Every structure is written in C-alpha cells, then in structure tokens.
Amino acid sequence: MIDIAFLGTGGNMPMPERFLSSLLISYKGRKILIDCGEGTQVSMRMLKWGFKSIDIILITHGHGDHVLGLPGLLSTIGNSERKSPITIIGPKGIEDIVRGLTVPIQGIPYELHVIEAGQRDFFVDFNKEGVEFREDILDSGYFDLRISTIELDHSVPCIGYSIYVPRNPKFSVYKAYSYKVPKVLWKTLQNGKSVIYEGKLYHPGMVLEGERRGIKISYITDTRPVDAIMPFIQGSDVFICEGTYGDEKDYEKAVKNKHMTFSEAAYLACNGDAKQLILTHFSPSLNNPEEYLKNARNIFKNSYIAYDRLIKNINFE
Amino acid sequence: MIDIAFLGTGGNMPMPERFLSSLLISYKGRKILIDCGEGTQVSMRMLKWGFKSIDIILITHGHGDHVLGLPGLLSTIGNSERKSPITIIGPKGIEDIVRGLTVPIQGIPYELHVIEAGQRDFFVDFNKEGVEFREDILDSGYFDLRISTIELDHSVPCIGYSIYVPRNPKFSVYKAYSYKVPKVLWKTLQNGKSVIYEGKLYHPGMVLEGERRGIKISYITDTRPVDAIMPFIQGSDVFICEGTYGDEKDYEKAVKNKHMTFSEAAYLACNGDAKQLILTHFSPSLNNPEEYLKNARNIFKNSYIAYDRLIKNINFE
C-alpha cells in the first residue's frame, strides 16, 4: 500500500559508502521525501523511482546534512518537466534557507511553496498532477493523508513528522437500508460528505461501518529523547528514529551533540507502542551499526538497522 | 612538482557512476580546487588528500553542477578546524550565489573572501597557513603562482582559468662576481628583490640566469570554442577542456547548449600549442567517452579522456 525507501542512513557528512539520511515515501503514485542532504538525488537515481512525482519535501531542520541536496534535487526535478508546485515543510528558518539555496537554480519550471511549521497537522488530498493541502477538514470527506509535526530538542529548531494514511470505512448496505438513506446519496455519503436532502440531514455514519486502522509512519531525527515523542509516535507501524550512536559509551557525546543512542531510540519505540523501530542517521564513526543492534533489541525487540536503499512495503492490516 | 586530481568528470547532474567535473591541484602542500558540484567532497574523501589545506576555490560559473557542492565542502573544511581564510574566485554573480548557498552553514570558523573576476591575473604567495593574494608584483620578488582568467561563451557568465607556476632562475655565482655584488645581498637578490646598497642599485638579474620554463595548467569549461582561448592556453603542459559530447552527431546539441564536442576541444589544443589535452565534463548520456577519443586524436594526437580520481604529476622540464 505504502512503499518507503531509505535513500541514505548517515549523519553529519556524506561518506563514500553511505548517503545522508533521507526517506522516500510512495503512495498512490505520489511521493513524499523527508530530508535532502548532499547526494540524496544520486541515491534516488540508483533507486529508480523517478523524480517527477515528488510533491512534498519535509525537512526536519536546517543543518547541512539535511538540506544541502535540495537545490540539486529541485533542479533535477525541473529537468523532468514537472509543472505542478512542490511544497516544502520545515521548522522556523526554513524559508530563508530555501531562498538562499535556490539562488543558483532560478528558473525551475514549477512553483515552490515553503511552509514553516511548529506543531500542527496538515491534511493532504491527491490529484493527478500532485497534491492539495486542505485548509478545513470538517465534513469535507476523507483526506488522502495527514502529516503531523512535533517540535524536537536539537541545537537548532527541528521537527519530527508522522504520516498517517487513513483506511476508508467499509460501506454497509445494511446500515444504509436501516437508516432509509436514498440510493442517490450513497456515493456522496461514502465519500465522507454529509448532505441535506428533502429537508433531512444524512451523514456518512449512516452508510459506513466503524473506522478501520490506517497506516502510520513516524520519522524522528535529530533530537535528544523528549517525552512528547512517545504520544506522537503512538502505535506507529514503522517508527524511524535516529540512532547516531550505537555504543553506550557514546552516551555523553549524544547528550552534548543533541542526538540519541540506539537504546534511547528503543526506549521511545517501546513506550510509544510502535510496531517496529528502524534506526538510521548513523555517525560517520559508526562503521557497522549492526554490531550495536543488541543495545536496541534488549529494550525493544522489533528493532532494525536501516541501510541505503532498504525498501519496506507497508500494508493495511 | 604539481599534482592534479580529477575529482569528477561529469556534467549536468551527479550520476551514481560519475562525480561532477572538478579538479584538485596540490602544490607545495597547499591546494586549489576548481569547481564544486554536488558530491565533490565525497570524491575528495575517496582521494584522501585532506580538506584543511584548500586555500582557493575557482568557480567557472554559477550552474548547479559547478557550485552546489560548495556549502557542504565549506562545512566539512570547517570541521577540519581550518582557521585561515578561503578565497573563492568566480564570474559576475558568484557573490550572490555564495551568499545564498552559505545561509545554512553560518558559523564556519574561517573567513570567506569572494572575488568576482572578468579577465585578469592574480599573483599568489604561499605561507604556512594558507595563501596571500598580491596586489602589486612589480619588483616584489617571485610569486608562487599566477592564476589567470578568461571570459568564455556559455549561457551564463563563465570564466576559464590557467594556473602558472614559475620556476625560479638558477643562481649564478659567475654573474654575481662579474657584477661585483656584495655577498650580503645575494639571498635578497635571489629572492627577486632589488636593493639599493651603499648608494648603488642591485637587481636580481645581476645574480640570476635567464628565466626557466614553469608549469602551466589550463581549465576551460563550460563554453563554445572561442578564438581567445587559443592564446590563453598557449603552451599549457596540461590543457583540461570540456568535451560534453563525443559523437560528431551531437554537434548541434553542443551549439544549442553552449558546449563543445571532443573535436572542437582538440582543435583548441592543437592551435593553442598545448602539450596534452585531457577531456572532461561528459554529458550524462555519454556512457563511454573512450569510444569517441579518436574524434579528438584525429585532430590532436596527445588527447586523453579523464576519469574520476585520475591523478597526474606534472614536473618542471
């Protein structure tokens, strides 16, 4: 249903054997990218999922290893003849950064919308050419996905993301007949819209079964562990979290540099009831992250190490 | 004497199997970089010549494939604890580009000097920490190298470079005695400085033999062939030139996109009396440039194809 690909899994600076941490999410033919360090577009080319259908770029923070690939990628997307706008979301300061980085690539053939976000939800609808950000979700049918942000604790303003893809409720002919819903309204109500018809209000609950569990993906980097992360990632199918340091001996470095160890990420996964934890954003000094996986698994069993171009398919239950 | 390394040899966009065209020049322990596309720092890390001693960055023009690696590289140089300034030279517009690209990397621990150059010479002296750009070369001794620029013909302001390393003339005891130069002045005169001593002017020519041939490296990309290139590259030991297209069938593309074919570059090498031509800046569509090398060799025999991390050592004759 949703495909995700780790374009890179490194932190700090791009290394010959590891791209900088970045995630590509593909759903219904549209794509969302999280973070874009130097070289992200090269890994994307190796992945072969294409450039043209990237509609949203979520930036966690303005450090070079998370943003410096933006102008190159935006330029390459321009070469793909994309015409519809791209939305970049990031923390306070991201507008200035994008404005600066795009000085050498003036004239890309699409609009760039930049949104500075603190803690909020975005509701997104898909269309053939791209996406639309919905202002109001009250009684306006079902959205295609919800993007939520949380403020984190790093050395610069930094936000984490969760992406929620709702699963539409099943249509119930039984309920429709029970509530005497005219057939002409069925489709509208199934699409989540209420209708007044012949003086009477009909609402979607009259034709739909109870809500079904959707898919939730959370992405948290770079930060110290903060309590608010746990409710934010609650029940994530995939919780992607920075594990800059694997070795417990690097705890003080993690505190000083505002990062996390594997065990700290695992603690969040455990207490946030995540289904699985995938660690990423490894320090350049961490040559073999697998070596320290046990530090995470001791705390949260379903812990895994990401690697460049690891692909996961996530389906509705 | 001088070592050069091709960090990348591609044009347009970074590809998985080829970095973007960029050259690193190492001389007397100091380094000059020409162009810096996305990923240049990664190739530099593979090369293992270090980051700290890069003093000058020469930018040919402001297209993404030649500048977008700057902020990442400057940030990585910052991590190497460099304190002395770095000078960036480029065509008109480079100041705005550098100002924009460095928005995310404020706080690098050294100064950045940016010079917009048209057609001119820079005389550079080396010191232990870095380099100095000399304002005046008249009677001020020998310079360590001269950087010359030429305006090219591309779709945006673009300049080519030549680097000349002079070879100091031999000291002649015979001449020193002939001119009755007091021994106390020998060293000063040998260093190229004139002196007035006991009312009499002594100049370097009184102790030095005739000038000896130095080393000249020329770097021309991106451009159509223009006549002025031939005198500019005159007698280059190594003439590095763009060969975006190998196949003669791509001549019209070369004209349209303001680039060159292999044979056009070879014509310049031949008429500029270069000792050897090294082709670089290959189009992403040019998978195997060697296939078209004959198109250059038919015109200029000493033509070669560059590849990523090709290293050449160039010595005084």
Side-chain angles (χ1 to χ4, degrees):
Chain A
M1 199 61 201
I2 298 188
D3 299 316
I4 63 173
F6 291 82
L7 293 168
T9 52
N12 198 340
M13 38 197 169
M15 304 298 284
E17 66 290 343
R18 193 190 278 158
F19 284 94
L20 289 167
S21 61
S22 169
L23 188 80
L24 190 60
I25 301 170
S26 177
Y27 176 53
K28 289 186 177 176
R30 310 307 317 170
K31 292 192 191 69
I32 299 174
L33 174 69
I34 308 185
D35 280 343
C36 187
E38 184 172 358
T40 291
Q41 68 161 311
V42 180
S43 186
M44 213 177 276
R45 196 173 289 280
M46 292 159 88
L47 186 69
K48 295 183 179 160
W49 285 10
F51 289 96
K52 195 177 176 180
S53 56
I54 297 168
D55 304 303
I56 303 173
I57 302 176
L58 306 175
I59 298 293
T60 58
H61 64 295
H63 278 162
D65 53 335
H66 296 253
V67 299
L68 293 181
L70 272 176
L73 175 67
L74 295 174
S75 172
T76 294
I77 294 174
N79 291 341
S80 77
E81 296 187 6
R82 184 187 173 96
K83 297 277 179 286
S84 44
I86 290 180
T87 302
I88 297 178
I89 298 175
K92 193 171 164 355
I94 196 68
E95 277 202 73
D96 280 350
I97 286 173
V98 172
R99 197 179 304 122
L101 288 178
T102 52
V103 169
I105 58 155
Q106 298 304 308
I108 46 174
Y110 53 83
E111 276 177 61
L112 213 50
H113 300 162
V114 183
I115 303 173
E116 298 198 344
Q119 205 126 327
R120 60 171 285 194
D121 291 331
F122 298 90
F123 294 88
V124 181
D125 294 316
F126 288 16
N127 59 42
K128 271 186 188 167
E129 302 279 298
V131 298
E132 279 160 44
F133 281 75
R134 201 186 286 182
E135 290 299 310
D136 176 18
I137 63 144
L138 294 172
D139 194 34
S140 54
Y142 298 104
F143 52 88
D144 281 310
L145 55 84
R146 183 183 67 219
I147 298 169
S148 308
T149 59
I150 179 179
E151 287 176 347
L152 300 174
D153 176 26
H154 196 46
S155 52
V156 294
C158 184
I159 55 183
Y161 292 94
S162 85
I163 316 280
Y164 180 72
V165 174
R167 185 174 192 184
N168 289 351
K170 271 190 182 163
F171 187 85
S172 164
V173 176
Y174 173 78
K175 281 183 87 177
Y177 279 116
S178 307
Y179 285 105
K180 292 173 183 157
V181 179
K183 271 196 177 167
V184 67
L185 304 181
W186 285 14
K187 202 177 166 86
T188 311
L189 295 173
Q190 186 178 12
N191 288 333
K193 288 186 196 290
S194 300
V195 192
I196 293 172
Y197 182 77
E198 294 181 350
K200 189 180 164 190
L201 173 70
Y202 294 88
H203 61 84
M206 291 169 165
V207 301
L208 298 175
E209 292 181 355
E211 208 182 319
R212 295 191 287 180
R213 201 174 171 280
I215 294 170
K216 183 174 177 179
I217 298 164
S218 300
Y219 194 91
I220 300 290
T221 188
D222 301 5
T223 186
R224 288 292 302 144
V226 287
D227 286 348
I229 294 173
M230 292 176 281
F232 182 78
I233 65 163
Q234 182 67 38
S236 294
D237 294 86
V238 181
F239 169 41
I240 297 155
C241 189
E242 75 138 288
T244 304
Y245 303 104
D247 195 337
E248 287 303 307
K249 285 181 192 152
D250 287 332
Y251 172 76
E252 276 168 33
K253 272 193 212 165
V255 172
K256 183 179 159 236
N257 300 326
K258 295 261 186 187
H259 283 297
M260 279 192 253
T261 61
F262 285 10
S263 62
E264 288 177 312
Y267 177 85
L268 293 176
C270 182
N271 287 279
D273 283 328
K275 292 193 178 174
Q276 66 176 307
L277 164 67
I278 305 184
L279 292 158
T280 185
H281 194 273
F282 309 118
S283 162
S285 64
L286 191 51
N287 289 324
N288 179 18
E290 289 283 351
E291 194 183 329
Y292 298 101
L293 178 57
K294 61 181 184 304
N295 291 345
R297 289 208 169 152
N298 286 342
I299 292 164
F300 182 72
K301 199 182 151 205
N302 283 335
S303 298
Y304 301 89
I305 299 290
Y307 53 85
D308 290 13
R309 287 170 304 287
L310 163 66
I311 294 171
K312 304 276 297 179
N313 313 108
I314 308 154
N315 293 302
F316 289 127
E317 277 182 342
Chain B
M1 200 58 200
I2 299 189
D3 300 315
I4 62 173
F6 291 81
L7 294 168
T9 54
N12 197 343
M13 38 196 170
M15 304 299 282
E17 66 289 346
R18 195 191 276 158
F19 284 94
L20 289 167
S21 61
S22 170
L23 188 79
L24 191 60
I25 300 169
S26 177
Y27 176 54
K28 289 187 178 176
R30 311 306 318 171
K31 291 190 191 70
I32 299 174
L33 175 69
I34 309 185
D35 281 343
C36 188
E38 184 172 356
T40 290
Q41 68 160 310
V42 180
S43 186
M44 211 177 277
R45 195 173 289 280
M46 291 159 88
L47 186 70
K48 294 182 181 162
W49 285 10
F51 290 96
K52 194 175 176 181
S53 56
I54 298 168
D55 304 305
I56 303 173
I57 301 175
L58 307 174
I59 298 293
T60 58
H61 64 296
H63 277 162
D65 52 336
H66 296 255
V67 300
L68 293 182
L70 272 176
L73 175 67
L74 295 174
S75 170
T76 294
I77 294 174
N79 290 341
S80 76
E81 295 186 7
R82 185 185 172 96
K83 297 277 180 287
S84 44
I86 289 180
T87 302
I88 297 177
I89 298 176
K92 192 170 163 3
I94 196 68
E95 276 202 75
D96 280 350
I97 286 174
V98 171
R99 198 180 303 122
L101 288 178
T102 51
V103 169
I105 59 155
Q106 299 304 308
I108 45 174
Y110 53 85
E111 274 177 62
L112 214 51
H113 300 161
V114 183
I115 302 173
E116 297 197 345
Q119 206 125 326
R120 59 170 287 194
D121 291 331
F122 297 90
F123 294 88
V124 181
D125 295 315
F126 288 16
N127 60 42
K128 271 189 189 166
E129 303 278 299
V131 299
E132 278 159 45
F133 281 75
R134 202 185 286 181
E135 290 300 312
D136 176 20
I137 63 145
L138 294 173
D139 194 35
S140 54
Y142 298 104
F143 52 88
D144 282 308
L145 54 85
R146 183 183 67 219
I147 299 169
S148 307
T149 59
I150 180 179
E151 287 176 348
L152 299 175
D153 176 26
H154 196 45
S155 52
V156 294
C158 183
I159 55 184
Y161 293 95
S162 86
I163 315 279
Y164 180 72
V165 175
R167 185 174 191 182
N168 289 350
K170 271 190 182 161
F171 187 86
S172 162
V173 177
Y174 174 77
K175 282 182 88 176
Y177 279 118
S178 306
Y179 286 104
K180 292 174 184 153
V181 179
K183 273 197 179 168
V184 67
L185 304 182
W186 284 14
K187 200 174 169 87
T188 311
L189 295 172
Q190 187 177 12
N191 288 334
K193 289 187 195 292
S194 298
V195 191
I196 293 171
Y197 182 79
E198 292 181 351
K200 189 181 165 192
L201 174 69
Y202 294 88
H203 60 86
M206 292 170 165
V207 300
L208 298 175
E209 292 182 354
E211 207 181 320
R212 295 191 287 180
R213 202 174 170 281
I215 294 170
K216 183 175 177 178
I217 299 163
S218 299
Y219 194 91
I220 300 290
T221 188
D222 300 2
T223 186
R224 288 292 302 144
V226 288
D227 286 350
I229 293 173
M230 292 175 282
F232 181 79
I233 65 162
Q234 182 66 39
S236 294
D237 294 86
V238 182
F239 169 42
I240 297 155
C241 189
E242 75 138 290
T244 304
Y245 303 103
D247 195 338
E248 286 302 307
K249 287 180 191 153
D250 287 331
Y251 173 75
E252 277 169 32
K253 271 194 213 166
V255 173
K256 182 179 161 237
N257 299 325
K258 295 263 187 186
H259 283 298
M260 278 192 252
T261 61
F262 285 10
S263 62
E264 289 178 312
Y267 177 86
L268 294 175
C270 182
N271 286 281
D273 284 330
K275 294 195 175 172
Q276 66 176 308
L277 164 67
I278 306 184
L279 293 159
T280 185
H281 196 272
F282 309 118
S283 161
S285 64
L286 191 49
N287 289 324
N288 180 17
E290 289 283 350
E291 193 183 330
Y292 298 101
L293 178 56
K294 61 182 182 304
N295 292 345
R297 289 210 169 151
N298 285 342
I299 293 164
F300 182 72
K301 198 182 149 205
N302 283 334
S303 298
Y304 302 90
I305 300 289
Y307 52 85
D308 290 12
R309 288 170 302 286
L310 163 66
I311 294 170
K312 305 274 299 177
N313 313 108
I314 308 154
N315 293 303
F316 290 126
E317 278 182 341

